[in-house]
Amino acid sequence: MRKIKKQKIYLLALLLPFILFVIGFEIGPLVAMIKNSLYADDGITFSIDQYLTIFKSKFYLQAVKNSFIIAIFSAVVSVIVAVIVAYSFTKFSQKIQNRLLMIANMTSNFEGIPLSFSYIILLGNNGLFTLLFGKIGWDLFADFNLYSWTGLILVYVYFQIPLAVMLIYPSYQGVKKQWKEASSLLGGSKFSFWLRIGIPVLLPSIVGTFSILFANAMGAYATAYALVGSNYNLLSLQIASLVASDVTLKPQLGSALGVLLASTMIGAMWFNERMMRRIRRDLR
């Protein structure tokens, strides 16, 4: 018993730096943000006026709506593409799979300002491909505007797909070759195998990946800021403008929007957990 207690104390000591890190950089700022959101603009009077301002303002509600739509759309598209791409990875040799995964890992880290700048150079109004195709006479990008909702979706999907591939790929290792052979011997087609066996096995991973991608898109700031600036109304951009702007500095209102954003992400994670529990229960 003493030996077990010593082991537990030793493990807790090893976890202490991580616990302090979580408290200092996650829980602490979250508590401060919630506290700050419950004050009026003077920073002294306790009030819920900041939340009333948000829900009464069409402008801020539009920011929430736009962020929600972009997050949902980019997550759905990225998951669909990732399911197909990850499956195609499994058809190559292990050596090639490792190289493809390395490329996907590198691509998943290419986001933010560098990614937006690259798209501006390639597909902006005076971008390389825009001018090149114009010279050739192909008006492929005549009606395309990179600095719009379509451009944002394109960029978001670009940096979401590699992350989704990295998250979904391991789940294909759980689809056993023997299951395919047994399904074939029993007269099942490839379509029926994936419909009745393959997809249900992958479903928890797909749902979990969707939740992560949704939260990732909701909180994305640098990519959207570098691409559209203040020309498109997004929740993350409004929070930054209220907290760090020289014109409309309202940290209390920005904190309230931050609490709303955090609540949305926590709600997505809670929904993901409920769905995964239900899916696992149905698979038993």
Side-chain angles (χ1 to χ4, degrees), residues 245-260:
S245 175
D246 295 330
V247 181
T248 57
L249 186 62
K250 294 183 177 181
Q252 290 79 19
L253 183 57
S255 296
L257 286 171
V259 172
L260 187 62

Side-chain angles (χ1 to χ4, degrees), residues 2-73:
R2 289 182 179 179
K3 187 177 180 180
I4 294 175
K5 287 182 179 180
K6 287 182 179 180
Q7 288 180 347
K8 289 183 178 180
I9 294 173
Y10 178 71
L11 292 174
L12 287 174
L14 292 176
L15 285 174
L16 185 60
F18 175 73
I19 295 172
L20 292 176
F21 178 84
V22 171
I23 293 174
F25 292 92
E26 294 187 19
I27 298 178
L30 179 61
V31 172
M33 183 176 66
I34 296 173
K35 180 182 176 182
N36 199 32
S37 69
L38 295 174
Y39 287 102
D41 291 337
D42 57 8
I44 300 174
T45 308
F46 182 82
S47 173
I48 60 170
D49 288 344
Q50 307 301 343
Y51 293 99
L52 296 177
T53 301
I54 293 172
F55 290 108
K56 288 181 180 179
S57 172
K58 292 182 179 180
F59 179 74
Y60 292 125
L61 290 178
Q62 184 189 46
V64 176
K65 179 182 176 182
N66 289 342
S67 295
F68 189 82
I69 292 175
I70 286 180
I72 288 287
F73 192 86

Side-chain angles (χ1 to χ4, degrees), residues 40-108:
D41 291 337
D42 57 8
I44 300 174
T45 308
F46 182 82
S47 173
I48 60 170
D49 288 344
Q50 307 301 343
Y51 293 99
L52 296 177
T53 301
I54 293 172
F55 290 108
K56 288 181 180 179
S57 172
K58 292 182 179 180
F59 179 74
Y60 292 125
L61 290 178
Q62 184 189 46
V64 176
K65 179 182 176 182
N66 289 342
S67 295
F68 189 82
I69 292 175
I70 286 180
I72 288 287
F73 192 86
S74 64
V76 169
V77 173
S78 300
V79 165
I80 293 174
V81 175
V83 167
I84 299 172
V85 172
Y87 175 72
S88 68
F89 280 13
T90 62
K91 296 301 180 180
F92 294 97
S93 65
Q94 190 61 47
K95 185 177 180 180
I96 297 178
Q97 287 184 43
N98 293 335
R99 291 181 178 178
L100 291 173
L101 289 173
M102 181 183 67
I103 295 173
N105 187 27
M106 293 173 58
T107 310
S108 66

Side-chain angles (χ1 to χ4, degrees), residues 112-134:
I113 294 178
L115 176 61
S116 298
F117 186 63
S118 300
Y119 265 88
I120 291 172
I121 292 175
L122 296 175
L123 299 176
N125 294 334
N126 295 308
L128 174 64
F129 290 134
T130 304
L131 296 177
L132 177 62
F133 290 144

